Amino acid sequence: MRTVPHATSLRRAPVQRRSAERLARILDACADLLDEVGYEDLSTRAVALRAGVPIGSVYRFFGNKRQMADALAQRNLERYTERVTERLSQAGGDAGWRAALDAVLDEYLAMKRSAPGFSLVDFGNQIPVGARHTEPNHRVADRLTDLLSGHLGREPDEDLRRAFLVAVETADTLVHLAFRVAPEGDEKIIEEARALLRAYLGRLLD
């Protein structure tokens, strides 16, 4: 299975610290406004105003609001990877794949419940609202395969990549269902998802 590269949405990558901090403020403002007004009413001008930067600074990095949302999704993926990595390091090398699965699912749920803008953008598969594209889930599955293969003591081969892709697609669908049923995610549906993922991955990882 081929990995899916992420095409950066930045017009220009920040070089200096000041420029990187300005980009971070723009993305923070974008995330907050997504929660407040939604994607349709989001504007680059409103983002610039919220971030406290000139509108030209926004256009220096992004040509439009879709590119901003894409960059926010990429930042979400980087932060998610960092959170999972930290959980795994705390668990230690003796923790099995079930503990790793819990880390992967729990950290996703935590971001969905608390990260600004995440409910609309997550890793890039919901803009426009309701759109479901395949590339973000492929990208997440590839990232998790590369991250977890060493922890699990397995080669990141085709079988492992396929299994993780199926697991990510399944988790994505069921977590979305849980959050449609309850604002904070229906716990019974989440536990059903956890049990289903354990049963499926156990065929390969036990």
Side-chain angles (χ1 to χ4, degrees):
M1 299 174 68
R2 296 174 59 188
T3 59
V4 180
H6 182 82
T8 179
S9 58
L10 289 178
R11 279 180 160 179
R12 184 180 303 177
V15 177
Q16 298 180 341
R17 178 178 177 180
R18 181 179 177 184
S19 182
E21 290 173 348
R22 181 168 291 186
L23 174 59
R25 291 206 308 273
I26 291 170
L27 291 178
D28 288 343
C30 176
D32 289 339
L33 286 169
L34 279 170
D35 282 342
E36 293 174 20
V37 304
Y39 180 74
E40 292 302 321
D41 291 329
L42 181 72
S43 71
T44 53
R45 186 170 298 279
V47 169
L49 184 63
R50 176 66 62 90
V53 302
I55 186 67
S57 293
V58 176
Y59 286 120
R60 181 183 179 211
F61 295 114
F62 307 108
N64 52 52
K65 66 180 183 180
R66 176 55 192 261
Q67 291 179 356
M68 268 195 301
D70 287 344
L72 180 61
Q74 178 64 12
R75 189 176 74 168
N76 286 340
L77 181 55
E78 298 301 331
R79 289 183 172 179
Y80 173 65
T81 302
E82 291 171 1
R83 292 172 67 130
V84 172
T85 300
E86 178 63 21
R87 276 280 298 271
L88 294 177
S89 66
Q90 292 175 357
D94 294 333
W97 69 263
R98 288 174 180 80
L101 172 62
D102 286 341
V104 166
L105 185 57
D106 291 346
E107 292 305 321
Y108 178 73
L109 292 169
M111 289 187 71
K112 194 162 181 65
R113 288 167 176 152
S114 64
F118 196 83
S119 62
L120 283 182
V121 172
D122 63 41
F123 304 128
N125 66 346
Q126 296 185 73
I127 297 295
V129 175
R132 300 294 294 277
H133 305 301
T134 60
E135 281 195 8
N137 280 344
H138 277 78
R139 196 172 299 121
V140 173
D142 284 338
R143 182 68 65 90
L144 290 175
T145 302
D146 294 337
L147 175 64
L148 296 178
S149 57
H151 181 79
L152 301 174
R154 292 186 59 102
E155 288 295 323
D157 56 19
E158 295 292 314
D159 289 340
L160 193 63
R161 291 192 183 279
R162 185 180 303 105
F164 278 16
L165 176 59
V166 171
V168 167
E169 289 281 358
T170 301
D172 181 46
T173 298
L174 292 178
V175 168
H176 276 81
L177 172 62
F179 279 81
R180 287 200 304 271
V181 171
E184 291 297 306
D186 184 270
E187 288 294 342
K188 290 185 177 179
I189 294 176
I190 290 169
E191 288 311 306
E192 289 289 328
R194 198 184 303 271
L196 189 154
L197 291 169
R198 285 178 174 173
Y200 170 68
L201 291 172
R203 300 186 309 167
L204 178 66
L205 300 178
D206 277 340

